[in-house]
Amino acid sequence: MTEILDHPIIPDFGDAKAPAAAPTPSEGKTRLKPSDFASPTVATHGAAPSGFSGPRKMCFIASKGNLDMAYPALIMANAALGEGIETHIFFTFWGFDLVTERTMDDIKFTMLGNTAMHLPMAPKMPIWAGMGAIPGMTKMATKMMNQQLDDLEIPSIREMLDIIVASGGHLWGCKLSFDMNGLVMSDLYEGVEDVISAADFIELSEGAQIVFV
């Protein structure tokens, strides 16, 4: 039987008060901390959570790097900004590809492992997920999804990020993912304000609604 500890062991993912040395920011960028941002006074729309008073804040965690999983956080963040809500997106693990210059314009969609896959014109006819392993299928599926997004006039990932930043949204990178990928600040989309640790994110998200994608 597994022993239940009185004090569970928690891995150290970074200390907000004493961060490890990080790569030097690209020229013209100043490293910021979440505490540098005071919560602005914004208009509140709709019903507020029970017992809550004051401006709303939402934090979205973008953890996936596939095309079909890239949009939920971006679309919801854009909607939150439209409602006057202070909005932050934290990009971590494969979600970091969405704000990495060398990958963000080439995000792919695969049918492999997707048991919900079907064609829009035949919703009751599921497609075998294993077809995604056939050479060329990921490229074809990605092209089809991008065409559908274009037909619906949905902006590209880069354009969505431009809109979010222009609307006052805040973009943050995960330091662990940043270090794992061997990146420097100049490798990132220019709208990313800083790379922060898990402890920084906990501080940043205080009092916010958190949505994990």
Side-chain angles (χ1 to χ4, degrees):
M1 178 181 290
T2 304
E3 182 181 358
I4 300 176
L5 302 177
D6 292 333
H7 302 286
I9 300 172
I10 302 175
D12 180 12
F13 290 114
D15 187 346
K17 296 182 179 179
T24 303
S26 58
E27 187 175 351
K29 285 192 175 183
T30 304
R31 289 183 63 81
L32 304 171
K33 294 181 292 184
S35 56
D36 294 332
F37 286 88
S39 298
T41 302
V42 295
T44 351
H45 298 263
S50 177
F52 178 83
S53 62
R56 289 179 64 188
K57 177 164 68 170
M58 295 191 72
C59 295
F60 298 91
I61 301 174
S63 66
K64 306 291 193 305
N66 289 342
L67 187 60
D68 56 327
M69 295 304 295
Y71 276 94
L74 302 182
I75 290 172
M76 287 189 288
N78 186 55
L81 287 164
E83 292 294 309
I85 299 171
E86 179 186 344
T87 303
H88 301 261
I89 309 179
F90 182 64
F91 297 89
T92 186
F93 278 80
W94 305 120
F96 217 104
D97 283 356
L98 308 183
V99 288
T100 302
E101 283 289 346
R102 67 187 182 212
T103 56
M104 63 186 297
D105 295 316
D106 192 31
I107 301 298
K108 296 179 174 62
F109 169 68
T110 179
M111 296 186 295
L112 195 62
N114 185 355
T115 57
M117 184 66 190
H118 59 77
L119 295 174
M121 65 287 295
K124 294 184 179 180
M125 187 181 297
I127 297 176
W128 178 48
M131 287 181 66
I134 299 174
M137 287 301 289
T138 294
K139 183 177 181 179
M140 184 182 77
T142 301
K143 183 177 180 180
M144 289 178 64
M145 178 164 281
N146 276 320
Q147 185 59 57
Q148 286 181 298
L149 293 170
D150 287 342
D151 291 345
L152 293 170
E153 299 184 347
I154 296 176
S156 68
I157 289 171
R158 183 183 291 274
E159 290 169 337
M160 286 289 289
L161 291 171
D162 288 343
I163 292 168
I164 289 168
V165 171
S167 300
H170 304 289
L171 309 181
W172 307 96
C174 166
K175 188 175 187 308
L176 176 62
S177 304
F178 182 79
D179 292 342
M180 285 176 66
N181 285 286
L183 300 171
V184 294
M185 287 297 292
S186 58
D187 292 327
L188 305 184
Y189 168 72
E190 63 179 359
V192 176
E193 295 178 28
D194 201 0
V195 172
I196 62 176
S197 70
D200 289 327
F201 177 74
I202 298 302
E203 178 184 342
L204 169 72
S205 62
E206 182 179 0
Q209 293 171 269
I210 300 176
V211 179
F212 184 93
V213 180

